């Protein structure tokens, strides 16, 4: 656990720092269901604060913020910057004070998930959304090269572990993807029918979890949200 002074220092000194980046309600006792997607973890670049154990994640791992050769493109925004405004000054600060670590391996992501699960309330259920194991053949983004192979390795670790934990449920996008027509412009972006089926599956799984305990307002809000999404998608399909 990071010291509060270290957290506040990181938040204030980084151009992508945010006051809520170290805040979470995941581990509160009243939280009964946690839903996490595994789509993002393989993409992120990690940066360790020198002389500290603080590690932050940002952007695409293929764009090392400490590499001066790509600074002009980061400043112009021609590389992915997540709406962050980079300058030569703040990039120089990052280069001087942070060490680029690359990205997490599938094993490291898996270990992080297990750690999160270990910190949840004993009755809290964890729902994990698994990434595509089918290659998106029209990929043009370096950070997504061979992402399907990464997902195959990570998903295998998660599936084996989930079989041993009744409090873990999986939403597997591979159950819905048919072929290349199921993608839009990215291995993580799908056609509306895929999201429709994922939403239905999530409602069912969360509903089954809640049937085993009392129905509270958190569940009702989740159910209401996804039903609105499904009705909206259904109307779109009817008009098509």
């Amino acid at each position: 656990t990071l010291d509060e002074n270290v957290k506040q220092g990181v938040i204030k000194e980084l151009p992508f720092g945010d006051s809520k980046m170290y805040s979470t309600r995941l581990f509160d006792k009243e939280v009964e269901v946690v839903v996490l997607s595994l789509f993002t973890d393989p993409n992120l670049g990690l940066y360790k604060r020198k002389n500290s154990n603080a590690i932050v994640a940002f952007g695409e791992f293929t764009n090392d913020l400490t590499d001066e050769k790509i600074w002009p493109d980061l400043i112009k925004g021609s590389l992915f910057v997540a709406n962050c405004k980079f300058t030569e000054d703040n990039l120089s600060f990052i280069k001087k004070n942070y060490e680029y670590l690359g990205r997490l391996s599938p094993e490291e992501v898996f270990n992080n998930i297990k750690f999160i699960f270990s910190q949840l309330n004993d009755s809290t259920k964890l729902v994990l959304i698994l990434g595509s194991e089918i290659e998106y053949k029209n990929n043009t983004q370096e950070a997504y090269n061979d992402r399907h192979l990464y997902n195959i390795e990570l998903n295998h670790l998660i599936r084996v572990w989930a079989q041993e934990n009744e409090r873990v449920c999986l939403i597997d996008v591979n159950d819905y993807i048919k072929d290349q027509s199921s993608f839009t412009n990215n291995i993580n972006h799908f056609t509306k029918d895929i999201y429709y089926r994922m939403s239905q599956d999530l409602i069912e799984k969360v509903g089954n979890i809640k049937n085993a305990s009392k129905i509270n307002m958190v569940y009702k809000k989740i159910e209401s949200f996804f039903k609105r999404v499904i009705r909206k998608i259904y109307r779109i399909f009817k008009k098509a």
Side-chain angles (χ1 to χ4, degrees), residues 66-180:
T66 67
D67 182 0
E68 295 184 34
K69 296 192 296 295
I70 68 169
W71 286 3
D73 291 323
L74 290 170
I75 293 170
K76 288 187 299 183
S78 55
L79 291 176
F80 177 75
V81 294
N83 294 320
C84 180
K85 301 297 183 183
F86 284 110
T87 65
E88 187 170 341
D89 284 345
N90 57 38
L91 288 169
S92 295
F93 178 87
I94 292 172
K95 181 178 177 64
K96 179 180 179 181
N97 293 282
Y98 284 81
E99 174 189 0
Y100 177 59
L101 301 179
R103 70 168 169 177
L104 292 172
S105 68
E107 183 73 31
E108 288 171 324
V109 174
F110 175 53
N111 288 335
N112 283 347
I113 293 296
K114 289 194 295 182
F115 175 78
I116 291 171
F117 184 70
S118 73
Q119 301 302 304
L120 296 176
N121 187 42
D122 289 342
S123 62
T124 302
K125 307 300 190 298
L126 176 63
V127 180
L128 298 173
I129 303 177
L130 306 185
S132 171
E133 297 177 8
I134 297 176
E135 180 183 10
Y136 174 57
K137 295 183 178 179
N138 292 326
N139 177 57
T140 59
Q141 299 168 278
E142 183 184 358
Y144 290 88
N145 289 345
D146 296 327
R147 178 62 60 83
H148 65 297
L149 300 179
Y150 187 108
N151 289 341
I152 288 173
E153 186 176 347
L154 174 58
N155 290 352
H156 172 71
L157 294 171
I158 295 293
R159 288 190 188 103
V160 172
W161 174 68
Q163 289 178 352
E164 303 169 353
N165 293 277
E166 60 181 16
R167 288 167 49 217
V168 179
C169 297
L170 304 180
I171 302 292
D172 192 342
V173 71
N174 298 284
D175 292 338
Y176 320 116
I177 296 175
K178 298 173 293 186
D179 50 35
Q180 294 299 301

Side-chain angles (χ1 to χ4, degrees), residues 170-172 176 197-206:
L170 304 180
I171 302 292
D172 192 342
Y176 320 116
R197 295 175 65 190
M198 289 175 66
S199 299
Q200 287 184 311
D201 198 6
L202 181 57
I203 289 172
E204 180 180 355
K205 281 186 166 59
V206 173

